[in-house]
Every structure is written in structure tokens, then in C-alpha cells.
Amino acid sequence: MGMVGGGIGAFIGAVHRMAAVLDGQIELVCGAFSSNPEKSKASGAELYLPEDRVYGSFEEMIQKEKELPEGERMDFVSIVTPNHLHVPPAKMALENGFSVICDKPLAYNLKEAKELKEIVDKSGLTFALTHNYTGYPMVKEGRDMIKSGKLGKIRKVVVEYPQGWLSTLQENSDNKQASWRVDPKKAGISSAMGDIGTHAENLAEFMTGLKISELCADLTAFGEGRQLDTDGNILLRFDNGARGVLHASQISAGEENNLKIFVYGEKGGLEWHQMEPNSLIVRMLDLPMQVYRTGADRAYLGKSAMAHTRIPAGHPEGYLEAFANIYRNFAMTLRARMEGKEPDPQYLDFPTVDDGIRGMAFIENAVASSKSDEKWYKFTI
């Protein structure tokens, strides 16, 4: 793996590196860790990389790695930069024969995202997007329950992602994570919806298998001087007729990363909380509430949940393991394709460029709806 971004002081870069190496399938061999060459070199030294495999720019990294013999050069690129710097390295990597795994959202805007999809499709290479919450075993168990019809036709979906970390003007301090997320030049047209609302949208569509068809959004930029939304409330309509509510906020004071989802069908419902990820609550009509628990020894769980669980019940798996499931699946898929084999369908279970397109469309439709006088805004891509 070669990495773009994720240098000294970057939160998400460290998360990607930990997730990538968890299953022993991936090795970090090179990187362009900062747009500042000196900082990139310093970051590479901290990671014990050879000096000649630490680059001052992603352009230099891709070009020089391409010149190395097969078996020595990197096999793929991991992109962990702010939103506005996702597409340029992804585009160059794909055009030079390297597969890509990229942090979300996919791009700076929908136009960029569509252009990137064309490049991915033309290249025939493997592309993954780290909507990491889809990696949780109990999220996959819930998805499979819904797909099998256990809950009946889905009628209602409620998904929430409240955080409180931007309740104060963190961007005015030395908080790099806050400063770029509220900057339209780097984050795009949205902060809350772009950063965490897309996770909620992706989780709702991933678990239910439904697509948002219309929405009615109310977005607000709480915080003096802020231009981008830090809070949003959205009514949803899905393509099967189901109704939904999506709430994402960075100013819900006291909240941590409290992503949760409730799905209700004709026969029953389920509930999952990211802050208690090893449990899936299932409620069926005329039956007591059940709590499904993750664990590699849980014979009652489905094939997908079991395939994405590493340890026995009672040993909690969390955020890093879910993130690692995406990296592992990507790696196993890439390995199979490099060997000229068909990937195991279980390892194809990771978000793709198409999920990224829907995420970018969600952001733009939500912002447009919030500005519109129309109650319902047709979801378009």
C-alpha cells in the first residue's frame, strides 16, 4: 500500500493504517503524507519507511512507484486527504494502473465524482470507499435479515448521527480537523451532511437495500461566521414507498459519535447503535424482544456476519475492526484479480465508487432542498 495524506497529526490516516495491517494482508511500503515535502519526510521517518520510498507529492510517488519492478512497487493507493484532494490522486493512480481505496466522501462535488467513476469503469481496477460502518458484523446481519424478508416490506427508516465536537468554534483554535471541515474550499458545499450525513445515508441504503427517491431538508450553519451546515434534519422517501427521517449534527452538545439506525417492516423491526456495535436488537410482532450478539462462535448468525467477525463472543470488536473489514475485503479482492481469479463474493462486500456517487448526490440534493421553497425535492444524480 502507498498512502496519500495521513501525515503527522492526522487522525484518519492513522486509523486507515491500523485497519490496513490488522489482518496481515497489507503492508505500508511508501507514502506522500503531506503536501509539505518536509512534513511528508518526517511522517515517513516516524513510520520507519525507507527514505527513498517517502515522497514530496502524490505525483512523484505514483510516477516513481510505477517505474519500480512488479513485486517491488506498491500495489494500490490509499487516499486519506481532505475532500478536495480525493480525486486528483485517485485519477492519477487509476490512469497509471494502481487500484485505489479512498476515504469518504468520494469527491469535492458530484461532477468530480461522476468523472472519477468514468475513470474507474474504464480502468477495470478495484476501487473501494471507506464507509466503514458497513463493515460491522451486526450491520451486515441486519442487512441480511431485511434482504431475506424477515421484517416484511420495509415501511420506515430512522437514522441519526449526532456529534457535539463543533458546538464551539474549534476552527479558531489549532484544530486542523475542524478547520478544513468548515472551509468551503476544502470540504465542499456541506460540513455536517458531507462529513457524517453521508455515513447515515449510506448506512440506511446499505442495510435496507432501498434507495432515497425524494427528500425534504432543513440545514443550518450554527456557529458565528460559519458558511457550511453543522446541523441537518431531513425527511426521506424511499423507492419502495417507505418513509424515513435522517438527522446529522456536529453541534449536539455532549454527543460523541452516536450513529444509530431503526428499521421497521410489516412483521418487525431492528435497531443498531454504533456506540454499542456488538448488539442488534430485533423486535417481531407478538414475540419478546431479542438481542443478537456478535461473536465468531455464534452459530445463529448469518454467513456474512460470521465472515466479518474475528473473535469469540464477549470480546468486543469495534470501529477499527469494522474499518479493517473493508481493507481486508479490498485486499482479498485485489489479490484474486491480480492472480487472474474470480474474487470470493464475500470479499466483494465493500462500498464502491457507485456508493460514492450516491453520497455526493445526497449532499447536493440535501443542500438544494434546504435552499428550495419546495417541500419535496426529487433525488437526482
Side-chain angles (χ1 to χ4, degrees):
M1 176 176 84
M3 178 167 277
V4 178
I8 296 170
F11 159 71
I12 202 64
V15 169
H16 278 255
R17 287 191 292 271
M18 286 185 278
V21 303
L22 186 62
D23 291 292
Q25 297 299 310
I26 298 169
E27 178 187 4
L28 177 68
V29 297
C30 64
F33 300 103
S34 173
S35 55
N36 181 324
E38 291 184 1
K39 186 174 179 181
S40 181
K41 291 290 185 182
S43 298
E46 281 199 0
L47 296 168
Y48 300 102
L49 290 177
E51 190 174 349
D52 63 348
R53 301 294 292 277
V54 182
Y55 302 100
S57 69
F58 72 81
E59 293 94 341
E60 180 190 13
M61 182 182 83
I62 292 169
Q63 187 58 48
K64 288 196 174 180
E65 288 292 316
K66 185 181 178 182
E67 293 170 358
L68 293 175
E70 188 175 355
E72 292 183 26
R73 62 177 175 239
M74 65 181 180
D75 294 307
F76 73 94
V77 176
S78 172
I79 300 171
V80 295
T81 56
N83 302 357
H84 70 300
L85 295 175
H86 285 179
V87 169
K91 179 177 182 291
M92 185 175 178
L94 292 162
E95 290 175 340
N96 283 274
F98 295 107
S99 292
V100 172
I101 187 165
C102 183
D103 200 40
K104 46 60 56 191
L106 179 61
Y108 181 72
N109 55 40
L110 182 57
K111 180 177 180 293
E112 269 195 353
K114 289 180 177 180
E115 291 170 355
L116 182 58
K117 175 177 166 52
E118 289 182 5
I119 295 169
V120 172
D121 292 345
K122 183 179 179 180
S123 73
L125 296 167
T126 305
F127 187 98
L129 193 70
T130 52
H131 274 298
N132 52 290
Y133 301 108
T134 66
Y136 280 109
M138 302 317 288
V139 167
K140 296 183 185 297
E141 180 73 10
R143 174 199 59 183
D144 293 348
M145 280 186 181
I146 292 167
K147 186 176 182 179
S148 72
K150 182 171 183 176
L151 303 186
K153 182 180 178 180
I154 301 305
R155 292 170 165 172
K156 186 177 182 68
V157 182
V158 179
V159 60
E160 307 174 15
Y161 200 153
Q163 298 175 336
W165 73 295
L166 291 182
S167 293
T168 59
L169 299 178
Q170 292 289 324
E171 63 270 28
N172 292 343
S173 64
D174 189 24
N175 189 325
K176 182 180 178 181
Q177 304 304 318
S179 61
W180 77 256
R181 282 178 170 82
V182 299
D183 182 353
K185 295 179 181 178
K186 296 180 180 180
I189 61 172
S190 172
S191 179
M193 283 302 142
D195 191 26
I196 57 176
T198 49
H199 274 309
E201 166 267 330
N202 179 259
L203 181 64
E205 293 196 340
F206 176 83
M207 286 189 74
T208 65
L210 304 177
K211 303 297 183 187
I212 297 169
S213 58
E214 292 180 290
L215 49 76
C216 176
D218 179 23
L219 310 184
T220 306
F222 285 110
E224 185 178 354
R226 286 176 175 163
Q227 302 175 59
L228 302 181
D229 60 281
T230 50
D231 183 82
N233 305 286
I234 305 180
L235 298 176
L236 304 172
R237 288 178 174 173
F238 292 90
D239 56 0
N240 77 328
R243 300 299 193 255
V245 179
L246 185 152
H247 142 60
S249 176
Q250 296 162 320
I251 52 83
S252 294
E255 292 283 5
E256 297 174 356
N257 279 277
N258 198 8
L259 174 63
K260 60 179 84 77
I261 187 169
F262 306 81
V263 181
Y264 302 99
E266 295 171 324
K267 301 177 184 179
L270 57 81
E271 173 183 344
W272 179 81
H273 295 248
Q274 198 270 151
M275 291 177 64
E276 182 53 55
N278 298 289
S279 297
L280 179 70
I281 299 170
V282 180
R283 299 182 178 91
M284 304 302 294
L285 291 173
D286 304 321
L287 288 174
M289 181 186 80
Q290 295 179 300
V291 180
Y292 286 43
R293 293 280 292 165
T294 191
D297 53 351
R298 295 294 196 190
Y300 60 79
L301 293 178
K303 181 179 178 181
S304 185
M306 293 288 281
H308 292 87
T309 303
R310 293 171 178 79
I311 50 182
H315 300 284
E317 294 191 55
Y319 179 79
L320 290 176
E321 288 85 354
F323 221 117
N325 281 334
I326 293 175
Y327 265 95
R328 183 201 64 178
N329 289 358
F330 174 85
M332 299 304 286
T333 295
L334 182 56
R335 178 195 295 271
R337 289 173 174 167
M338 290 171 67
E339 295 174 351
K341 301 175 183 177
E342 281 295 315
D344 184 328
Q346 196 66 257
Y347 294 133
L348 290 169
D349 192 3
F350 54 80
T352 68
V353 68
D354 294 306
D355 297 289
I357 291 282
R358 289 201 62 81
M360 295 309 304
F362 169 74
I363 295 167
E364 296 203 358
N365 281 274
V367 171
S369 171
S370 187
K371 292 179 178 179
S372 172
D373 291 331
E374 295 181 28
K375 180 178 178 182
W376 288 103
Y377 198 86
K378 191 171 182 63
F379 193 99
T380 56
I381 294 180

